[in-house]
Amino acid sequence: MKNDGVTKGSVALLGLGTMGRVLAERLLDAGHPVTVWNRTPGRDTALVERGARRAETVREAVTAATTIVTCLFDHASVRETLEPVGADLTGRTLVDLTTTTPNEARWLGGWAEERGIEHLDGAIMATPSMIGAPEASLLYSGSAEAFGRHRTLFEVWGSATYDGADHGAASLFDLALLSGMYTMFTGFAHGAAMVTSAGVTAEEFAHRSARLLSAMTGVFPMTAKVIDEGDYTGPGQSLEWTATALDTIARASAEQGVSPGPIEMTRALVLAQIEAGYGNENSDRIYEELRAGCPGDPRRGEGPGRAARSSGPHRAGSPPDRPRATSPLPRGPMLEGGCPGFSHTEGDTPWPRFSWSPTTSPGPTPPVPGSPAPGCGWPP
Ligand SMILES: NC(=O)c1ccc[n+]([C@@H]2O[C@H](COP(=O)([O-])OP(=O)(O)OC[C@H]3O[C@@H](n4cnc5c(N)ncnc54)[C@H](OP(=O)(O)O)[C@@H]3O)[C@@H](O)[C@H]2O)c1
């Protein structure tokens, strides 16, 4: 590991946003020599007062430390910041805590390897106020050696988990976990919109919602078992039943003048699997629809969802000739005075369907040899 006369254990932190500043504070608390840099000057004042060294340039920062931590806005900002100083990073350890996709992390891992830079990708499963507290958790993947050497340092921020040598692994877990978080908050906001439309406070709703959702997480292991075994014929809520339930929720939402968007998202997955002939099977089967890939993706169907469709109604251990759903999906009329903009036509969906497409681009990321291709035409 390159030393260049810099103090062992010294850290350069690039990016003093909401998260970066707290990461730097905890390092200072733990007695690490810290050099800080931020694109916009002035964000380091409190840190410098506490003993951090100010770097005027990225090069000055990276050459002042053996370990370089980036906590920037996105992958594009990491590249913009690091590419001009690639040669200066040689022989040092780069830990990127910026939220990026797995392929972006793999790209950075490959870029680092070409320059003799040890690389770890990190994912912060915490808010800034949690950093340093026991509930904060950070995931890392990439160089095992670098993880082992830095583990004590990482633990000043929170628990440190090593997810393996694949540079994209920490990011994959991060974003998979965040998918659940974002959709849960969206569901909560949707429920809150429904009850507040009737004069109930969101605070009152929050208590009830938290109780139900906490209890529901206890079902995850059973759902996981069904998914892992690929058998959706056991007991549980059928797709047909679920479609009716979702339809009722969506109509209730529209009656209250509230967009049923989050319900429509789930409903689209359920309907697709019913249309493929699995209406009597367990609603956990929406997993297969997700694995089948994105509409329009040339790789759609490579996942188990399509494999299950093409080989019959079941993937494992069930008769191939189960009855298929033929009845039209239950759809009720919307009440007058319902959600403005959502008109109902008999036989048609009573609310607009979502069409998902990315709205921002992180810029071109060269493909990483041996890594999965980006899905859904993303990046474009
Ligand atoms: N905040 C959280 O709760 C949280 C939780 C987990 C993970 N994270 C991740 O941590 C990272 C930082 O989050 P944050 O909350 O600190 O964001 P933030 O407050 O918006 O800070 C973004 C940082 O990136 C810098 N930056 C943006 N574009 C840049 C560019 N082109 N070149 C150089 N620097 C650039 C900003 O510099 P300027 O000051 O010059 O704009 C700032 O230092 C993100 O990837 C985020 O997803 C955040």
Side-chain angles (χ1 to χ4, degrees):
M1 196 56 11
K2 189 168 186 167
N3 222 321
D4 286 355
V6 299
T7 313
K8 195 163 177 288
S10 56
V11 181
L13 210 143
L14 312 186
L16 302 176
T18 317
M19 183 57 85
R21 284 199 301 274
V22 180
L23 296 173
E25 278 170 19
R26 296 292 86 80
L27 290 173
L28 291 168
D29 291 345
H32 288 277
V34 182
T35 298
V36 290
W37 173 86
N38 194 62
R39 178 183 63 173
T40 306
R43 286 187 139 183
D44 59 4
T45 310
L47 294 167
V48 171
E49 280 168 8
R50 291 199 48 197
R53 177 181 158 189
R54 172 181 295 146
E56 302 293 344
T57 64
V58 177
R59 180 161 287 110
E60 189 185 327
V62 303
T63 54
T66 51
T67 302
I68 319 303
V69 178
T70 41
C71 188
L72 298 168
F73 186 67
D74 59 5
H75 176 67
S77 57
V78 172
R79 287 182 59 174
E80 196 181 313
T81 303
L82 296 183
E83 282 182 329
V85 296
D88 300 290
L89 283 164
T90 299
R92 302 178 198 276
T93 306
L94 170 64
V95 183
D96 183 24
L97 298 183
T98 309
T99 304
T100 64
T101 71
N103 271 0
E104 288 166 350
R106 292 179 187 119
W107 182 89
L108 192 64
W111 178 87
E113 195 177 337
E114 283 167 15
R115 287 158 183 78
I117 304 162
E118 245 184 350
H119 171 258
L120 273 171
D121 186 61
I124 307 170
M125 310 309 301
T127 60
S129 62
M130 290 161 65
I131 297 296
E135 61 269 25
S137 150
L138 284 84
L139 315 177
Y140 300 88
S141 57
S143 166
E145 205 191 314
F147 179 78
R149 273 203 330 279
H150 288 80
R151 186 173 196 140
T152 309
L153 184 150
F154 293 156
E155 283 173 348
V156 308
W157 295 323
S159 69
T161 302
Y162 179 65
D163 278 319
D166 171 5
H167 296 263
S171 163
L172 181 62
F173 271 107
D174 176 24
L175 300 177
L177 289 164
L178 290 181
S179 170
M181 187 192 79
Y182 277 107
T183 47
M184 179 189 72
F185 278 117
T186 307
F188 170 72
H190 179 248
M194 287 177 72
V195 297
T196 56
S197 73
V200 178
T201 65
E203 186 181 7
E204 184 187 333
F205 180 66
H207 293 300
R208 298 198 198 188
S209 179
R211 208 176 320 135
L212 177 72
L213 294 180
S214 306
M216 284 294 125
T217 60
V219 179
F220 284 174
M222 283 174 271
T223 303
K225 187 169 184 291
V226 169
I227 288 172
D228 286 341
E229 291 176 355
D231 181 3
Y232 302 93
T233 61
Q237 191 171 305
S238 74
L239 285 160
E240 290 277 17
W241 196 97
T242 305
T244 307
L246 293 172
D247 186 79
T248 308
I249 299 168
R251 284 185 293 111
S253 175
E255 285 172 19
Q256 295 301 127
V258 170
S259 163
I263 293 299
E264 171 60 15
M265 176 192 72
T266 311
R267 191 170 170 274
L269 297 169
V270 168
L271 293 190
Q273 283 289 303
I274 292 175
E275 281 158 18
Y278 301 109
N280 291 337
E281 295 196 15
N282 196 303
S283 63
D284 295 333
R285 219 180 200 292
I286 61 170
Y287 161 86
E288 299 290 345
E289 190 58 33
L290 293 164
R291 282 299 310 270
C294 302
D297 184 340
R299 293 173 305 134
R300 180 168 167 82
E302 288 176 11
R306 179 54 65 89
R309 287 176 187 191
S310 57
S311 64
H314 304 287
R315 191 149 65 93
S318 58
D321 56 351
R322 286 172 64 86
R324 295 188 169 226
T326 50
S327 58
L329 294 167
R331 291 194 180 106
M334 287 184 33
L335 294 187
E336 281 183 16
C339 187
F342 293 96
S343 61
H344 176 246
T345 314
E346 196 59 48
D348 198 357
T349 48
W351 45 84
R353 279 192 175 275
F354 272 168
S355 69
W356 179 85
S357 61
T359 51
T360 57
S361 167
T365 299
V368 184
S371 69
C376 311
W378 174 256

